[in-house]
Amino acid sequence: MINTAKKKKNLWLSSLIALVSLGLAYIPIPGLETRIVIVTGTELTEPLTRLKEDFEKKNPDIAIEIKEQGSQDIINKFVDEKNDFKPTILIPADGELLTELKTRLSTRDGSDPFYETPRPIAKTLLVGIAWLKRGDALFPDGRFRWERIQRAMEAGNWAKMGGRPDWGSFDFLMTDPTRSHSGLLTLFLWSRANGEDLNSPQTRELFKIIQKSLYQPPRSTDILLQEFITRGPNDADVATVYESIALYRQKQSGANQRAPYRVYYLDPNVEITPTAAIIRRDTDGEQRRAAVKFIDFLRTKEQQQVFVRYGFRPVIEGLDILSVPENPWSQNIQRIEVNPSVTLIQSPDSRTIAEIQKLWERSN
């Protein structure tokens, strides 16, 4: 009898320990929450904020904080250790920037800065935008042409470009290429369209013309677009931005300025892939597991559909963007294309990026 009672007691204790262990595994305990910090460009802030909220509801033991920086700032501040926080995941506008980061750190100390191979979470393109009448005057054949923008910059006013005299000066906007990837890609595609080497006198002169025409270029692309919408015609005529935010904010531009801006596809173009990398520095095992889980989450079909609603293109196979409810390609936005007829070229590599930035800084 004593042995039987003892066995029952031991069985009860074993069951209790198992239940407690199960609870510890699945029920979040105050003070044991895993916190991760994601650094990303402003063009991704809104979809990532939406997705972070959904993820945290399903994973209450993980808390995510989102920080905004221009994509080139993301790389520079991490390499130079100038952040006042410890990032877990970096998501610059394009994966090539992570290659630049890895090259710079490997050259310095030979280390691999990433835990996993960085993974793309969305895709987009660089596009031009212009207010309707300005666009018709500048691009009478309906095609975006870099040489027409250069001529307008050199002319200085609309009257010499077929526009109305009361439109005043010609105002082109792009981001700071030393801080933001869309500005750097603008210079890359523009110089290629001219058929000139980066170190040619013609390219150096082009950069001087562009720099002289700009006033305090913004540090990130979505900031630029919101300035473009707020300022409207006469203060902002043409700009280069990502297709994703151009589509997402097009209705806002119509509400602010009576008529929305028009989107122009650049040809040739580059496929831009916002890419997530998990950082080794100051990231412990729990944060690494949480980061992997979040990136896995972003690449599922349901979450890719969220990116599509914000104007991005999916990175997974088999997702038809026109089948996604509320996608911008089905909202009668003039001249946008699901499959734009443009030639895609390779994104600038880390050496080209460095050359463009050096040339830009010398143009001051």
Side-chain angles (χ1 to χ4, degrees):
M1 289 290 293
I2 294 174
N3 288 338
T4 301
K6 188 174 181 180
K7 286 180 181 179
K8 286 182 178 180
K9 183 178 180 181
N10 289 341
L11 181 61
W12 181 84
L13 285 172
S14 298
S15 299
L16 180 61
I17 290 169
L19 286 171
V20 170
S21 300
L22 189 64
L24 288 173
Y26 292 98
I27 300 173
I29 299 174
L32 294 183
E33 184 179 67
T34 301
R35 301 186 67 83
I36 61 176
V37 177
I38 298 173
V39 193
T40 187
T42 52
E43 69 281 352
L44 277 165
T45 301
E46 289 193 49
L48 282 180
T49 299
R50 158 77 186 279
L51 291 166
K52 141 191 154 59
E53 292 169 356
D54 293 342
F55 179 80
E56 287 175 335
K57 286 177 183 176
K58 296 176 181 178
N59 301 273
D61 57 331
I62 299 173
I64 296 172
E65 184 178 359
I66 296 175
K67 302 279 190 181
E68 295 179 348
Q69 292 176 357
S71 287
Q72 196 62 53
D73 276 346
I74 292 175
I75 305 306
N76 292 338
K77 289 190 175 184
F78 182 80
V79 171
D80 298 334
E81 301 186 41
K82 290 187 176 180
N83 291 310
D84 57 2
F85 55 87
K86 296 177 180 179
T88 313
I89 301 175
L90 303 182
I91 313 180
D94 193 54
E96 191 60 45
L97 292 170
L98 293 172
T99 303
E100 177 197 347
L101 182 153
K102 185 173 182 177
T103 300
R104 287 169 63 181
L105 287 180
S106 296
T107 301
R108 192 169 73 185
D109 56 24
S111 65
D112 184 345
F114 309 133
Y115 265 127
E116 318 279 340
T117 300
R119 288 185 286 168
I121 60 169
K123 294 190 293 188
T124 191
L125 300 166
L126 193 71
V127 299
I129 56 172
W131 300 109
L132 299 186
K133 292 181 179 179
R134 266 73 168 171
D136 289 341
L138 190 63
F139 310 122
D141 63 354
R143 295 183 60 191
F144 186 95
R145 297 187 184 277
W146 294 109
E147 67 269 19
R148 291 284 293 173
I149 296 179
Q150 184 170 344
R151 282 181 56 192
M153 286 180 167
E154 291 170 336
N157 63 74
W158 277 103
K160 296 179 181 179
M161 295 299 297
R164 287 169 30 184
D166 63 344
W167 287 356
S169 63
F170 174 77
D171 298 298
F172 173 75
L173 273 64
M174 58 175 263
T175 57
D176 183 340
T178 66
R179 304 187 68 185
S180 166
H181 197 54
S182 68
L184 187 137
L185 288 180
T186 297
L187 297 179
F188 172 69
L189 292 173
W190 201 333
S191 58
R192 279 188 62 100
N194 284 2
E196 299 290 345
D197 183 84
L198 280 175
N199 293 312
S200 71
Q202 292 85 353
T203 301
R204 291 197 293 271
E205 181 61 25
L206 170 64
F207 279 29
K208 288 179 181 178
I209 292 169
I210 298 170
Q211 201 162 85
K212 185 178 177 181
S213 301
L214 297 177
Y215 176 70
Q216 295 182 341
R219 63 179 172 82
S220 67
T221 312
D222 197 40
I223 290 174
L224 177 146
L225 181 53
Q226 295 194 57
E227 285 184 8
F228 185 88
I229 293 171
T230 301
R231 290 164 62 176
N234 292 339
D235 288 318
D237 299 309
V238 182
T240 49
V241 296
Y242 299 123
E243 180 195 36
S244 53
I245 56 172
L247 301 188
Y248 178 64
R249 297 205 181 280
Q250 207 251 9
K251 283 187 178 180
Q252 179 187 341
S253 73
N256 280 36
Q257 302 294 341
R258 297 185 182 179
Y261 53 69
R262 180 172 289 161
V263 176
Y264 293 84
Y265 287 97
L266 314 183
D267 188 20
N269 212 314
V270 294
E271 186 174 76
I272 303 160
T273 53
T275 301
I278 304 170
I279 297 303
R280 286 182 182 273
R281 184 198 296 165
D282 299 317
T283 299
D284 63 29
E286 287 301 316
Q287 289 172 317
R288 176 185 178 181
R289 283 186 281 274
V292 170
K293 195 170 187 178
F294 184 63
I295 296 172
D296 288 343
F297 174 78
L298 295 180
R299 289 172 54 87
T300 61
K301 183 177 180 180
E302 184 180 356
Q303 318 322 319
Q304 288 287 295
Q305 289 176 332
V306 174
F307 281 116
V308 169
R309 293 188 190 102
Y310 282 90
F312 287 94
R313 296 167 182 268
V315 291
I316 61 172
E317 298 292 332
L319 178 55
D320 177 8
I321 58 178
L322 294 180
S323 70
V324 178
E326 302 176 30
N327 78 81
W329 288 269
S330 298
Q331 294 179 22
N332 299 316
I333 300 176
Q334 288 188 4
R335 298 192 181 186
I336 69 163
E337 302 175 39
V338 175
N339 298 300
S341 53
V342 301
T343 300
L344 292 177
I345 61 175
Q346 187 69 35
S347 294
D349 57 23
S350 56
R351 179 178 296 179
T352 304
I353 289 172
E355 286 181 5
I356 291 172
Q357 291 175 339
K358 190 179 297 182
L359 181 58
W360 179 257
E361 289 171 345
R362 287 175 179 171
S363 299
N364 269 321

